[in-house]
Amino acid sequence: MVREAEKEDLKEILELYLCLHEESIPEESEHLFHTWEQIIHDENHHLIVNIVDGKIVSSCVCVIIPNLTRSVRPYAFIENVVTHTAFRGQGLASECLAYAKLIAIQNNCYKMMLLTGSKDEKTLNFYKNAGYNSSDKTAFIRWLNKT
């Protein structure tokens, strides 16, 4: 079942992010809970989860970004696409991306974009099969104070 995250999902989402690139779950802090409240209450920030047998096993984030170009139409940015290692290859992340696409369409977005740090051909083909391409734009990243 795919849906948007709810307030009580924080612990499971942080556990799932260990399958993404996190090395540990952040310690409980005022900063963590404040950030979570911002995410949950931001109408442009959609944290999408896919649940199997009552457990969150896949997720992605879809952020709608207001824009002054393209007839003042927003665009969607996809981030943190992840599926628990034990559940990969079952189409669960594809379902999350499809849900994100619906959100983008409902918000009149003119495009969706995502970045991946993966060089794995299987991962790149996954995004291509989901309708994304790597030929229209060139991405550059500048890291700031990695912590």
Side-chain angles (χ1 to χ4, degrees):
M1 173 183 77
V2 180
R3 63 166 171 79
E4 290 203 45
E6 298 169 354
K7 189 171 182 174
E8 58 274 5
D9 293 332
L10 176 60
K11 184 176 188 266
E12 279 192 74
I13 291 167
L14 293 175
E15 289 172 359
L16 178 61
Y17 283 171
L18 293 173
C19 297
L20 184 61
H21 50 64
E22 294 300 302
E23 295 178 12
S24 63
I25 293 174
E27 66 179 64
E28 291 187 7
S29 67
E30 185 176 322
H31 178 65
L32 172 65
F33 295 125
H34 176 73
T35 301
W36 181 237
E37 287 290 327
Q38 284 182 298
I39 290 168
I40 289 297
H41 295 295
D42 183 346
E43 67 181 20
N44 286 321
H45 196 130
H46 305 270
L47 203 161
I48 299 160
V49 297
N50 202 337
I51 299 168
V52 174
D53 295 330
K55 182 157 178 61
I56 296 172
V57 297
S58 189
S59 179
C60 75
V61 171
C62 175
V63 178
I64 307 299
I65 302 171
N67 181 41
L68 294 174
T69 66
R70 305 286 181 158
S71 300
V72 195
R73 291 177 65 196
Y75 58 94
F77 189 78
I78 307 300
E79 185 63 276
N80 297 336
V81 180
V82 60
T83 299
H84 190 285
T85 52
F87 292 85
R88 291 184 180 162
Q90 299 178 31
L92 300 169
S94 295
E95 291 174 359
C96 288
L97 290 175
Y99 195 96
K101 181 180 175 187
L102 290 175
I103 290 170
I105 290 168
Q106 290 168 351
N107 282 274
N108 196 33
C109 292
Y110 76 94
K111 71 177 177 183
M112 298 176 73
M113 333 189 275
L114 64 83
L115 299 172
T116 181
S118 178
K119 306 292 185 229
D120 183 340
E121 200 63 36
K122 186 175 179 183
T123 302
L124 301 179
N125 285 332
F126 164 75
Y127 289 124
K128 288 176 186 173
N129 290 334
Y132 295 84
N133 75 70
S134 59
S135 60
D136 288 349
K137 299 261 184 178
T138 301
F140 292 88
I141 296 176
R142 181 174 182 174
W143 296 101
L144 304 173
N145 296 330
K146 280 187 162 182
T147 55

